[in-house]
Amino acid sequence: MRVALGVEYDGRAFSGWQTQPGGNTVQDKLNQALSRIAGHPVTTLAAGRTDAGVHALMQVVHFDSDAIRPLNAWVRGVNAHLPPEIAVVWAREVSDEFHARFSAFSRSYRYFLLTHPVRPGLTAGRVGWYHQPLDVAAMRAAAAVLLGRHDFSSFRAAECQAKSPLKDLQQLDISEVDGLLRFDLTADAFLHHMVRNIVGALLYVGRGKLDTAGMAALLAATDRTKAPPTFMPDGLYLTGVGYPAQFDLPSQAQAARLTLWR
């Protein structure tokens, strides 16, 4: 049987998603918990990796098991063996054609950035922070030049393992409420550090150190060394993964827990 899971986690306590020898990753903890319920070793495959300190409101994974368990066991049963920072929020039996990574046609991320003279306390590690106001109108104008299918090498980490830097950025919206900026991004897929590098470049725009023409030139340069630094991971959330309707997985709209961060 192949099972798909929706998983949320606070990334601050872990060394990212991908399993590592030290064992302190989200994937390691999830595999261990699933193995206890299944009664045999379980290995998960995810829609995409997240870095240390990056969170997920809706990561999607799948695994195979011969164990016959009610779907609720893959949710409540597994959660009983997970650390409090990780929770399975739904489980679905899927066909063997489903693959959490290769069946996905889009990924969505959200970045929260607090602009305030004083660093946050209560939301530390859950929002990014910059100590001065930013020109949001200029940031929106510069963001528009990134939409569409482009070579995003200027926003790609050196250690990125993607086969191609060509990605289709379908959404890049910026909203602001009382000094809290929210960046919503959707693409067919993202390069390693791509969202954090885009946010870092837009921060330069908001500070007046880069304009729309400069952003276009940066994109065209396809050279990471010409771009601003990678921004902090604290405010970054994987918010959803798009799949064909045939797999009948919960949509982002159905994941009511997302309303906490809208």
Side-chain angles (χ1 to χ4, degrees):
M1 182 172 66
R2 178 160 292 183
V3 178
L5 304 176
V7 185
E8 67 179 29
Y9 49 85
D10 182 334
R12 292 176 296 173
F14 308 103
S15 302
W17 161 263
Q18 185 79 5
T19 186
Q20 295 185 16
N24 187 38
T25 71
V26 178
Q27 186 179 29
D28 290 319
K29 302 300 183 185
L30 183 58
N31 287 351
Q32 292 163 14
L34 286 166
S35 298
R36 296 186 67 171
I37 298 300
H40 64 78
V42 170
T43 300
T44 53
L45 293 169
R49 304 173 186 176
T50 53
D51 296 329
V54 175
H55 318 293
L57 293 174
M58 192 51 61
Q59 172 71 278
V60 177
V61 309
H62 83 263
F63 66 93
D64 295 325
S65 176
D66 293 330
I68 305 302
R69 303 285 186 270
L71 289 177
N72 194 47
W74 300 122
V75 180
R76 293 183 180 274
V78 171
N79 284 343
H81 299 290
L82 285 171
E85 297 88 354
I86 307 172
V88 177
V89 296
W90 54 258
R92 296 286 189 277
E93 185 176 351
V94 291
S95 67
D96 291 343
E97 288 75 33
F98 177 80
H99 192 288
R101 178 183 175 190
F102 297 123
S103 298
F105 58 74
S106 69
R107 284 86 173 164
S108 296
Y109 282 88
R110 182 169 295 164
Y111 195 102
F112 290 100
L113 174 63
L114 179 67
T115 58
H116 193 276
V118 180
R119 65 170 177 82
L122 186 62
T123 56
R126 297 184 179 184
V127 299
W129 172 61
Y130 186 67
H131 64 281
Q132 293 180 344
L134 298 170
D135 185 341
V136 178
M139 295 168 73
R140 288 180 179 131
V145 306
L146 301 178
L147 293 172
R149 186 168 181 82
H150 303 287
D151 182 331
F152 281 95
S153 293
S154 292
F155 304 93
R156 179 183 191 176
E159 61 271 25
C160 181
Q161 298 177 4
K163 294 181 179 179
S164 171
L166 292 173
K167 301 300 172 189
D168 181 14
L169 185 61
Q170 301 152 12
Q171 177 192 25
L172 206 180
D173 295 334
I174 307 172
S175 56
E176 180 185 21
V177 177
D178 295 331
L180 181 65
L181 275 64
R182 192 183 84 187
F183 302 78
D184 285 298
L185 302 92
T186 297
D188 54 351
F190 287 88
L191 302 168
H192 191 193
H193 286 174
M194 180 172 160
V195 176
R196 291 168 58 192
N197 289 334
I198 287 175
V199 172
L202 290 172
L203 183 69
Y204 267 44
V205 173
R207 294 167 58 189
K209 299 183 67 174
L210 189 68
D211 58 15
T212 300
M215 182 68 86
L218 175 59
L219 177 66
T222 65
D223 185 349
R224 177 67 197 135
T225 65
K226 298 184 182 301
T230 303
F231 202 56
M232 62 181 69
D234 305 43
L236 183 56
Y237 296 76
L238 173 60
T239 56
V241 187
Y243 292 100
Q246 70 191 70
F247 297 118
D248 193 28
L249 297 183
S251 68
Q252 293 184 50
Q254 290 173 302
R257 294 150 82 101
L258 291 182
T259 60
L260 295 172
W261 290 98
R262 282 180 181 166

